[in-house]
Every structure is written in structure tokens, then in C-alpha cells.
Amino acid sequence: MAKANKRNIGWKILMGAVFLGLLVMAGFRLYEWWIERQAHFVRYEAFGIEVPTNYEIHGIDVSKYQEAIDWESVKGMNVEGIKLHFAFIKATEGNGNEDRYFKRNWKKIKDAGMVRGAYHFFIASKSGKTQAENFISSVELQPGDLPPVLDVEQTNGQKSDKIRQRVQEWLTTVENYYGVKPIIYTNVDFYKQILKDDFDHYPLWVAHYLQKEKPRIYRDWHFWQYSEQGRVNGILSKTDFNVFNGDSTDFKGLLIN
């Protein structure tokens, strides 16, 4: 009898935990819906920053910090002929973390008809190969998507040569899997001081906020993140803004076939 009672208690605890889990999940989905509903009605007269107009292709990058995004509103914003064509979306970080809004953003930006790209936030103290496998397990790339991106901008207490070794592990593993050369994202100083010349043959997405016309870097670049203070319809918080260094033909040539 005692054993039967223990089994009943254990069953009730299990069912209670399952119910609580479902309740939490439902609450999160409801919160997402409410945030997107709020974002749908967010409208700005302008992007809120000085946009370099001598570039043809404009875009943004986002992560969980922008929460639920109304991508239809993002795509539809037009300020004096400038529209947003693409967005880089945070997918993963480190060995096992996935951005909690990645799957949602990845699907909804595709549905909205914008070009999408996925990036991994690199932890320099962790294995490059393991981090690459984390990205691969989360991201399915399709024709028309941008190449995969490695965001490397922190040393995490590691020496430069070890960072370069682990970065190369990530890049090689990802390129072998997807069959396309990844893009490196970093800032001007990190590239010059840590990465140096070892990665000049990879496409570069560079962050630099101190010049109006182009980033201050000695090598060729594909994307320039020029501000982190932009405003976009459909997003409640401030957003990073980027431009592509080329015309529509160049941009199309970069996309996955």
C-alpha cells in the first residue's frame, strides 16, 4: 500500500511539473504575441540616425534583445527611397546556446521576403570546432540566404595565436559543411590587433562608428555596421544598421546558390 501511495505521489508530481512547463511555455508564447502586436504599431518618421546614402543595399542585424519583431513592418519602411533589404540574425553562442528568438526570426523574415543571414557569437575560450557544430545544428541555409557569419570581438582572456587557431577551426568546419566561405564580423581594432592578416581572404563585415563615408580599415570589406542607434518600424528597441559595399549584382553574387 505504501509503495502504491508513493507511486501515486510521484505521478502527481510529474504531472504537475508537465502542467507547469506547458503553462510557462504558453505564457512565453502569449508574451511573444503581445510584443509583436506592440511592434506592429511602432512607426518612426525616420531611421533616427544619419544613413550613408552613397550605398545601394541597406540592412540591420538583430538578436534576442530586439525581442519579437514584426518583419512585414521592417520590410515596408521607406525613408526617402531607402529601404532595408537584409538582416543578420543571431543564431548561436558558444558551445551550446541558441538565441531564443532565432527560429522565430529565421522563419518570419523569410516569410516577409527579406534576405536573411545567421551569425554565431564566438567565445574565444571555447573550441572552435564545437562552436561550429553548435551553429550547424541550429542553422539550415537555403538558396538566397547570406553566407554564415562568425562574430568574433572578445578575447575572453586568450592569447592572440590561440584565438586565431580556434577561429580558423570554426571557419573551416562551417565552410566544409555548407560549401560556402563564411563571413567574419568584428571591429576595426580587433581585426588589426588580434586577427591580423591571417583572414584577409574571408569576406569581412566590419563594425566602425567613427566615420561617415566608410570604415577605417586597410583591407576590402563587404558589410559595414555603422550605427547601433537606428530605429525601424516593427522593432521596439534601437537596432544596428549596416550597408553592403557593392551594387545589387554584387549582392546577389554573394548569396547562396
Side-chain angles (χ1 to χ4, degrees), residues 47-205:
F47 293 121
I49 54 174
E50 187 173 349
V51 177
T53 56
N54 53 327
Y55 295 94
E56 182 179 338
I57 312 293
H58 298 259
I60 59 174
D61 61 274
V62 300
S63 68
K64 65 183 180 182
Y65 298 109
Q66 279 71 38
E67 299 193 281
I69 296 170
D70 178 20
W71 285 103
E72 293 287 349
S73 295
V74 173
K75 184 188 179 186
M77 190 170 183
N78 187 329
V79 179
E80 297 181 358
I82 295 177
K83 300 184 68 174
L84 300 176
H85 296 81
F86 67 88
F88 288 110
I89 299 167
K90 184 179 180 182
T92 50
E93 176 175 336
N95 285 346
N97 296 324
E98 180 181 273
D99 188 278
R100 70 172 182 263
Y101 279 98
F102 172 65
K103 284 187 171 59
R104 183 184 190 282
N105 282 328
W106 195 242
K107 179 182 183 303
K108 287 186 174 287
I109 188 175
K110 183 77 168 181
D111 293 344
M114 289 181 67
V115 174
R116 62 187 184 176
Y119 73 87
H120 174 85
F121 188 85
F122 194 73
I123 306 298
S125 57
K126 308 293 183 182
S127 160
K129 186 174 186 297
T130 304
Q131 293 189 70
E133 290 168 347
N134 180 27
F135 181 85
I136 289 167
S137 69
S138 294
V139 180
E140 179 184 352
L141 296 176
Q142 297 178 358
D145 292 337
L146 286 158
V149 178
L150 178 64
D151 175 349
V152 52
E153 53 185 290
Q154 298 178 358
T155 64
N156 303 108
Q158 304 299 299
K159 294 182 178 179
S160 297
D161 58 346
K162 179 58 71 172
I163 294 173
R164 290 194 293 273
Q165 175 192 330
R166 289 172 173 162
V167 165
Q168 189 62 67
E169 287 175 359
W170 193 97
L171 294 169
T172 299
T173 304
V174 166
E175 183 172 359
N176 287 342
Y177 181 82
Y178 293 106
V180 61
K181 193 174 289 295
I183 298 168
I184 294 175
Y185 166 91
T186 193
N187 61 68
V188 169
D189 291 336
F190 194 94
Y191 192 91
K192 182 167 63 174
Q193 296 170 13
I194 306 298
L195 299 181
K196 300 183 178 179
D197 300 325
D198 289 11
F199 303 96
D200 285 354
H201 56 294
Y202 285 92
L204 179 65
W205 170 20

